[in-house]
Amino acid sequence: MSTIAELTIPADEFALRRTLENLPELEVEVERVVAYEPGHVMPYVWFSGPDEQTLTALDDELAEDSSVDSVELLTDLEDERLYRMDWVEDVTFMLHMLTEEEATILHATGEQAQWQLRILFPERDSLSRTYEFATDQGFTVDVQKIHELDDDRYGRYGLTDAQHETLVQALDRGYYQIPREVDMEELSNELGISHQALSERLRRAHRALVEDAISLGPDGTDDEDPE
């Protein structure tokens, strides 16, 4: 069964370590990653900062960052920039995921000296092999959350069948419209459950969606061992 894992890696063990260390207020988001030959990864990366001074210093930091072989500015907006660059050092972990395990990086962000990766693995065993490989290579990989994908696509968000059905019904009937087109009493009657049961089911579903969308740390994660 396909698996989505959310991992964190210290920036000093991965790409852009100098840039993130010297510009800690910088926020980095990888748009997409292309592995075009062994030993080379070409990511498209968005950088945003709190002020113009931070982005002005960005080019100098990238030029001195040993994990960046070459860099090209593609888009320069007022408060963010898009670069295409080559990562050729300390990217063994990412290369292994892309080439050996046929994994897909769904989301990758870097800030405050840490990378957060959201990765789709074709099976749970491929996650275990990647975790073992990364730790053998000396990477500090912290598995924050693991989602097993059910036959239904909404399973990736941690929703039960009942929660998914309830959210769909609530959305279709206008519960989330402003103003609401249906109230809790009407919705609970249509679903054949009590007002209290509907309220609890919606809260659990909302929590699952929020936890899936953001990293909450140890208090909000599954803390599963990938092996």
Side-chain angles (χ1 to χ4, degrees), residues 98-164:
L98 291 170
T99 58
E100 298 297 326
E101 300 298 345
E102 299 181 351
T104 301
I105 298 177
L106 302 177
H107 193 62
T109 59
E111 60 180 315
Q112 298 180 348
Q114 179 175 262
W115 278 95
Q116 297 182 344
L117 306 176
R118 182 179 175 87
I119 304 164
L120 172 63
F121 292 91
E123 58 182 4
R124 179 64 174 263
D125 287 346
S126 62
L127 167 59
S128 298
R129 289 191 296 269
T130 298
Y131 180 84
E132 181 179 355
F133 174 84
T135 53
D136 287 346
Q137 294 294 315
F139 290 98
T140 306
V141 179
D142 186 8
V143 180
Q144 296 290 308
K145 295 175 70 175
I146 297 175
H147 303 290
E148 301 288 357
L149 296 191
D150 300 327
D151 292 337
D152 298 303
R153 288 186 300 169
Y154 58 82
R156 76 179 62 183
Y157 305 112
L159 298 174
T160 65
D161 291 349
Q163 289 168 357
H164 178 261

